[in-house]
Amino acid sequence: MAVKERDRFSTATRLRLLGEQTAARVYRSQTRRQARRSRLTGRAALLALVVCSLVVALAYPIRQYVAQRAEIADLRRQQRQAEERVEELRDLKARWQDDAYAEQQIRQRLHYVMPGETGYIVIDPDAARQSRTDLGAADRPWYANVWDGVDKSDAAGQ
């Protein structure tokens, strides 16, 4: 027993035990690191593959969804504009059904006067500078003015 005790406290024995313990720790840490590294890399690769697959699989449907939402917004805007135009046309129709408004427009556009009235046309100084072909409705017969109005309305519809 005395030899064992002396051997246990000898420097060579201590250094050998210390070296073995250190080597065991280093070996354990290296094997843990290598095992962890290899597992983590495989999982990371699998996760990256799954994420890339999801991105590729969802890219086209998401793009279509965004494009359709933009198209729906555009169609709603066009619908609002059409509804506003319908309201304007209803107002105009209601005005034209009023005899006083129709008479006012006929007098203004066709330069009609009631019996006993004298018709005057005031010429704008800037209008006098225009070419002879664009003098206006006063220099032409009434049916030419009506026909021009029909042509302009037809051209506006196209």
Side-chain angles (χ1 to χ4, degrees):
M1 216 175 233
V3 175
K4 250 187 183 178
E5 297 241 350
R6 199 171 53 137
D7 198 29
R8 192 174 77 174
F9 293 113
S10 72
T11 308
T13 306
R14 280 189 187 154
L15 286 176
R16 187 171 29 94
L17 284 174
L18 189 60
E20 288 173 1
Q21 290 172 355
T22 306
R25 282 189 209 134
V26 168
Y27 178 74
R28 273 185 283 167
S29 68
Q30 284 179 349
T31 56
R32 283 186 203 149
R33 227 180 272 144
Q34 288 172 352
R36 231 182 305 147
R37 212 179 282 149
S38 63
R39 263 188 290 153
L40 185 62
T41 304
R43 287 181 183 173
L46 182 62
L47 180 65
L49 180 66
V50 168
V51 168
C52 289
S53 298
L54 286 174
V55 166
V56 169
L58 295 176
Y60 183 74
I62 288 175
R63 186 174 61 109
Q64 289 296 320
Y65 174 77
V66 170
Q68 288 173 357
R69 296 304 297 174
E71 185 177 352
I72 288 170
D74 188 43
L75 290 172
R76 285 185 178 153
R77 182 187 52 79
Q78 288 177 1
Q79 181 182 9
R80 280 194 305 270
Q81 288 177 345
E83 288 172 354
E84 290 171 2
R85 179 73 177 138
V86 166
E87 286 300 318
E88 290 173 6
L89 291 174
R90 283 184 182 149
D91 291 344
L92 185 62
K93 180 182 175 185
R95 274 189 266 147
W96 274 102
Q97 290 184 0
D98 181 22
D99 291 336
Y101 180 78
E103 182 181 333
Q104 174 195 9
Q105 291 299 313
I106 291 169
R107 290 173 66 117
Q108 181 182 3
R109 293 181 184 192
L110 301 176
H111 302 285
Y112 277 20
V113 292
M114 297 300 282
E117 292 180 350
T118 305
Y120 293 99
I121 298 176
V122 178
I123 298 176
D124 185 20
D126 294 332
R129 294 185 195 130
Q130 291 177 347
S131 66
R132 187 84 176 126
T133 58
D134 194 28
L135 281 178
D139 296 334
R140 299 184 306 189
W142 67 269
Y143 51 86
N145 293 336
V146 171
W147 191 250
D148 285 345
V150 170
D151 286 341
K152 287 179 186 175
S153 296
D154 188 39
Q158 295 175 354

